Amino acid sequence: MMADVLVVTSKVKKFIKEKAGCNTSAETIDVLSKAVERLCQKGVDSAKADGRKTVMARDIVIDHL
């Protein structure tokens, strides 16, 4: 079963092409989508742990970004 793509493929490819002149593999889109899924789940878990139904930016913040 194919997983849902959670990133806009055309936007990612355009960004990489404009920033570096590189092409983007389908595998790259899959990896980015899985990373977004993990971040969303982190946010959901954090919001639920705080007793909230709203995921906030602070729930998914990554320190090194």
Side-chain angles (χ1 to χ4, degrees), residues 15-64:
F15 177 84
I16 291 172
K17 182 63 95 175
E18 288 178 354
K19 294 292 180 180
C22 296
N23 294 324
T24 305
S25 71
E27 183 182 40
T28 299
I29 302 303
D30 292 341
V31 169
L32 285 171
S33 192
K34 287 175 187 170
V36 169
E37 183 178 348
R38 285 191 304 272
L39 287 170
C40 289
Q41 188 61 57
K42 179 181 181 291
V44 167
D45 295 343
S46 179
K48 283 185 175 186
D50 284 349
R52 290 182 279 112
K53 290 186 176 185
T54 302
V55 175
M56 303 172 117
R58 68 179 188 225
D59 295 315
I60 58 173
V61 169
I62 301 174
D63 294 333
H64 62 277

Side-chain angles (χ1 to χ4, degrees), residues 2-10 12 26 29-30 32-34 36-37:
M2 182 160 299
D4 288 335
V5 176
L6 299 179
V7 297
V8 180
T9 302
S10 61
V12 171
I29 302 303
D30 292 341
L32 285 171
S33 192
K34 287 175 187 170
V36 169
E37 183 178 348

